[in-house]
Amino acid sequence: MSFKDLGLTDALLKAVQEKGYTTPSPIQEKAIPHILAGKDVLASAQTGTGKTAGFTLPVLQYLSETKHPKYRPLRALVLTPTRELAAQVYDNVREYSSYLNIHSAVVFGGVKAASQIATLKRGVDILVATPGRLLDLHNQKAVSFKRIDVLILDEADRMLDMGFVRDINKIISFMPAKRQNLLFSATFSKEIKQLAQTILRNPVMVEAEPENSTAEMVSQKAYRVNKKDKTSIVTNLIKDGNWNQVLIFMRTKHGANKLTKQLLQSGISAAAIHGNKSQGARTKALSNFKTNDIRVLVATDIAARGLDIPLLPHVVNFELPNIPEDYVHRIGRTGRAGASGEAISLVCSEETEYQREIEKLLGKKLATEIIEGYEPTDNAPPKRAATQSKGSFKSSSSKKPHRKNHTPRDARSSNSEGRSKRNSRNRRR
């Protein structure tokens, strides 16, 4: 099937061709015809499956084909959980609408609102936004939702995790009841289905791949280690393997800062990206990482959500997530677009329960090894994971790191960035 077979206009087909795409991905093939038909859609799609184009292309076609007043009221709204994802979606909207008479904009926190307000006053057909800043602008009467025809919730599962439900419901309360609703999520969890029941009307359910599945091209492995040895081990992995692009996940912002500092002291270029960083610092770190000006990006789950990093070869779980589904999102950063990738987890004794819950979700054991010279001796009691579910994955082996004469550094951190604190800290993004 081609993009033309999906019913897209010549202007959109030209923009798609210039992006280098020839055939639609499964999620695009399944979702676009239903969206063009005006139906509500509940879609499950992992990052990297082409889901953004899956909703952007048909919505842009609808906007271009329907008559609108000269003052361009806002008619399509895309809500995203993070600034990075909002910027990424907006970039796609601009690229795909390059041959259409469509005005678009993006708004999020962390930057001054004055320029955003000025853009909205000039008229916008489609807006990409994070909930907190959008509500602030609405309270300032800088934006109206009275003419919204299409509402898109992107990465709805993460918005639930971050406590945006009240903000989303408040935004929806200002919209007309008659509209098209599109909800995209990495999983069809119970919470997502409950949210869908309150927003969607007779939705069509589409799924790009089996629920909670992980990339088949990703080699996954766990190393049993002492907590205090993790920094030395990850340093050796990067140096011995001559890795040039590595995404390392931490559970806390404090831990991300600490590890970044230790990597820099070891002669490895690195930057941290998390919620306490300014938008300018986050954008610069991501840009430098994509251009290989830095070798390592150290991130928390919230900051990394929605990051578009093509052909990322290495993901390291310096600390396992206490929410099993977050493991799937993390390793989904690699093994994309048909390329192979490697995901390594450093598991200390207190994280063994996290590993067991992740394996329940995956439906298979992680290949687990002990590194010679770094035999684990910790006996700390395991911590309890937050949730559990089931799925499947494929695994393969990777090269063991060799021990060097590095002084191990303690990678412990105390400032938790769990769900309980996300609700209050992430509403004004």
Side-chain angles (χ1 to χ4, degrees):
M1 179 177 284
S2 67
F3 281 101
K4 187 174 183 179
D5 295 330
L6 295 178
L8 297 175
T9 60
D10 290 341
L12 288 170
L13 292 174
K14 185 176 180 181
V16 168
Q17 185 178 23
E18 288 185 355
K19 287 274 287 182
Y21 303 138
T22 55
T23 57
S25 69
I27 191 62
Q28 294 163 0
E29 187 175 321
K30 294 177 181 180
I32 288 176
H34 293 302
I35 298 174
L36 286 175
K39 297 178 182 178
D40 282 14
V41 171
L42 174 59
S44 174
Q46 301 283 351
T47 300
T49 58
K51 65 180 175 63
T52 304
F55 63 76
T56 299
L57 292 170
V59 169
L60 286 173
Q61 180 156 317
Y62 164 75
L63 294 174
S64 66
E65 290 180 342
T66 53
K67 190 176 180 179
H68 54 77
K70 293 181 180 179
Y71 62 88
R72 291 183 182 271
L74 177 61
R75 295 192 296 141
L77 174 64
V78 185
L79 290 178
T80 72
T82 67
R83 309 167 192 174
E84 284 75 21
L85 182 57
Q88 176 189 322
V89 172
Y90 172 61
D91 286 342
N92 282 312
V93 169
R94 284 195 307 164
E95 291 168 348
Y96 292 133
S97 62
S98 55
Y99 297 103
L100 299 173
N101 182 21
I102 294 292
H103 290 188
S104 59
V106 60
V107 297
F108 47 71
V111 296
K112 292 183 179 180
S115 62
Q116 297 175 352
I117 292 173
T119 299
L120 291 170
K121 284 183 177 179
R122 289 193 292 269
V124 172
D125 298 296
I126 179 170
L127 178 66
V128 186
T130 52
R133 173 53 62 90
L134 185 62
L135 275 177
D136 286 344
L137 293 172
H138 184 268
N139 292 336
Q140 297 179 54
K141 301 188 183 305
V143 61
S144 171
F145 307 134
K146 293 180 179 179
R147 296 290 300 273
I148 293 289
D149 291 329
V150 187
L151 169 66
I152 304 104
L153 301 184
D154 192 14
E155 299 207 353
D157 51 335
R158 178 55 60 178
M159 283 200 275
L160 289 182
D161 288 344
M162 295 170 65
F164 284 136
V165 174
R166 288 182 62 187
D167 287 350
I168 291 170
N169 288 333
K170 191 168 185 179
I171 291 169
I172 290 175
S173 71
F174 298 118
M175 296 182 184
K178 187 178 180 181
R179 63 179 188 276
Q180 184 179 19
N181 304 283
L182 312 174
L183 192 154
F184 282 73
S185 171
T187 63
F188 282 156
S189 66
K190 181 178 71 174
E191 293 79 12
I192 284 296
K193 290 176 180 177
Q194 289 174 345
L195 177 65
Q197 287 177 355
T198 65
I199 298 175
L200 308 183
R201 292 184 296 273
N202 302 317
V204 177
M205 294 181 66
V206 297
E207 205 166 352
E209 52 190 53
E211 186 174 349
N212 289 334
S213 68
T214 56
E216 294 185 0
M217 298 297 290
V218 180
S219 165
Q220 300 171 71
K221 177 174 289 188
Y223 288 128
R224 286 278 290 110
V225 301
N226 291 321
K227 189 173 183 178
K228 64 182 176 62
D229 290 336
K230 287 188 176 185
T231 302
S232 181
I233 289 170
V234 77
T235 300
N236 293 341
L237 283 168
I238 295 167
K239 288 185 174 181
D240 294 351
N242 195 28
W243 293 354
N244 291 316
Q245 201 173 38
V246 191
L247 178 59
I248 300 179
F249 280 99
M250 309 289 292
R251 281 199 301 269
T252 70
K253 293 174 275 192
H254 171 75
N257 287 337
K258 187 173 183 179
L259 179 60
T260 300
K261 182 178 179 181
Q262 292 167 331
L263 290 172
L264 290 170
Q265 290 172 345
S266 297
I268 297 173
S269 55
I273 181 169
H274 54 66
N276 280 359
K277 294 286 185 179
S278 69
Q279 183 58 37
R282 291 160 72 164
T283 301
K284 182 179 179 181
L286 180 58
S287 175
N288 288 341
F289 185 65
K290 286 183 175 181
T291 57
N292 290 314
D293 289 328
I294 59 172
R295 296 172 69 178
V296 180
L297 190 65
V298 186
T300 56
D301 289 292
I302 291 177
R305 186 67 172 215
L307 292 184
D308 182 23
I309 307 169
L311 306 178
L312 176 64
H314 306 287
V315 167
V316 176
N317 293 301
F318 192 94
E319 297 169 314
L320 283 182
N322 64 331
I323 303 167
E325 285 81 4
D326 283 346
Y327 175 85
V328 177
H329 297 314
R330 287 181 177 190
I331 72 167
R333 302 291 107 200
T334 186
R336 296 169 61 175
S340 61
E342 182 178 42
I344 289 176
S345 300
L346 306 182
V347 185
C348 64
S349 59
E350 61 186 57
E351 295 173 302
T352 54
E353 179 64 22
Y354 295 163
Q355 181 176 342
R356 282 194 290 268
E357 295 300 328
I358 288 167
E359 289 170 343
K360 286 182 183 179
L361 173 67
L362 300 175
K364 197 171 183 178
K365 296 285 186 182
L366 286 174
T368 304
E369 298 181 5
I370 293 175
I371 304 167
E372 185 178 354
Y374 284 107
E375 291 78 7
T377 57
D378 283 349
N379 294 310
K383 295 180 179 179
R384 296 190 64 182
T387 59
Q388 57 184 3
S389 48
K390 293 184 179 180
S392 62
F393 86 109
K394 293 184 180 179
S395 157
S396 59
S397 61
S398 62
K399 185 179 177 181
K400 294 183 183 179
H402 299 289
R403 181 163 189 171
K404 295 279 187 178
N405 294 324
H406 294 293
T407 302
R409 297 181 185 274
D410 190 344
R412 287 173 289 186
S413 61
S414 58
N415 298 329
S416 174
E417 191 175 70
R419 286 186 176 179
S420 62
K421 294 189 179 180
R422 293 176 186 170
N423 294 356
S424 61
R425 291 186 181 180
N426 290 284
R427 291 199 177 170
R428 295 187 178 273
R429 297 188 68 85

